[in-house]
Amino acid sequence: MELRPPQSPLVARPVRVVQVSPAPVIEHGSVQLISSQNVVLLAFLAFIMTLGMIAVLYRQDS
């Protein structure tokens, strides 16, 4: 008597593999993600947040 491992009906079905060609590469012009305005804005926000943190850490309870 030959014993075979049980197979699920989902596993036993044949699977058809379809090869798909890769999508064409679309070249864009150079996009500048970081502008000087963004850098200035981030530096300003960092400065304001640093001043706020110093004010909270060194405030004097009256």
Side-chain angles (χ1 to χ4, degrees):
M1 182 171 175
E2 182 179 333
L3 296 176
R4 294 183 183 173
Q7 291 185 349
S8 166
L10 297 176
V11 176
R13 294 180 184 167
V15 177
R16 180 178 297 164
V17 178
V18 178
Q19 292 186 354
V20 180
S21 62
V25 177
I26 300 172
E27 294 185 17
H28 296 285
S30 62
V31 177
Q32 186 177 3
L33 296 177
I34 302 175
S35 67
S36 59
Q37 290 177 343
N38 290 343
V39 172
V40 170
L41 179 63
L42 288 176
F44 178 72
L45 288 176
F47 179 71
I48 295 298
M49 291 179 72
T50 303
L51 286 180
M53 190 183 313
I54 291 171
V56 168
L57 290 176
Y58 290 105
R59 70 177 174 205
Q60 308 246 336
D61 293 326
S62 319

